[in-house]
Amino acid sequence: MQTIRVLLIDTKETVKQLLERRLLNADSMKFVVTLVGVKEAKTPIREINEKFDVVLFGEKAPPSAVIDISKTIRFQYHYGLPIFKLTVESEAKLPLKFGQAGVDDMLNVAEMTTPLFTWTFQSIVEQAEVRNKAREYDVLRHRLEHVSEHIGHIIHEINTPLSIMRLTLYHLEKAELSKEKRESFIRLLTDNLEKVDESMGSLRSVKRQLGEDTSTLAKILSSKGVRQAVAAH
């Protein structure tokens, strides 16, 4: 059974209890809810990604705190956690500032009392996860495009000194070459060999980056929601 760890920020204990009671009905998932205040939430933001799977702001959480904490989670630490805001308004739309800060959606408190809440909550969490993974994938795609351009530049940087080295070796084979010119060609050969070595160092750096990007891509595709979205296509 999969465990979903929910961080509930700035709401009443009764809301936490209501949320826990509704989530206990899940057959395929186990939900663990942790309630903290706004100040407590700001302190361990770096650890939120490791300890929780969903961030849920209470209905009375100050908008400024919602925006500040969401921005930090989403953009400063590049976390793809689903982030939601509880509301008492029916059919409430996600405020533009919340969306820009990284909040995924609004969730009506009254929905917690409905029989379908567990399924709804599970569904919106998976949808948010797919959206966030899609954003991560888009960033990764741009990075790989940049890497491709960088590799093309490195290849050019390698080809140029190699051409010079070939021409230099051709001249060095001439028996009538003077000592001064021979020494000059050897220096030219050494200088261009160093340039090739520097370019090879750049290629090794690109290889390491590609390894990291491959690991990131594997994490993106490992998500259940992403696998289902891919399978649907």
Side-chain angles (χ1 to χ4, degrees), residues 164-176:
I164 295 173
M165 289 166 67
R166 290 191 189 98
L167 185 60
T168 302
L169 288 171
Y170 169 76
H171 286 295
L172 284 172
E173 289 176 351
K174 296 179 179 179
E176 69 276 11

Side-chain angles (χ1 to χ4, degrees), residues 94-120:
L94 182 69
L96 179 61
K97 289 185 178 180
F98 282 6
Q100 292 173 337
V103 178
D104 290 294
D105 209 343
M106 306 291 285
L107 185 62
N108 196 298
V109 177
E111 292 181 10
M112 293 184 186
T113 60
T114 65
L116 294 176
F117 173 74
T118 302
W119 177 87
T120 301

Side-chain angles (χ1 to χ4, degrees), residues 111-140:
E111 292 181 10
M112 293 184 186
T113 60
T114 65
L116 294 176
F117 173 74
T118 302
W119 177 87
T120 301
F121 187 78
Q122 182 178 335
S123 176
I124 63 174
V125 167
E126 289 179 354
Q127 289 173 14
E129 184 181 22
V130 170
R131 286 196 300 270
N132 290 324
K133 294 299 182 183
R135 283 195 287 263
E136 290 180 31
Y137 180 81
D138 195 48
V139 170
L140 178 58

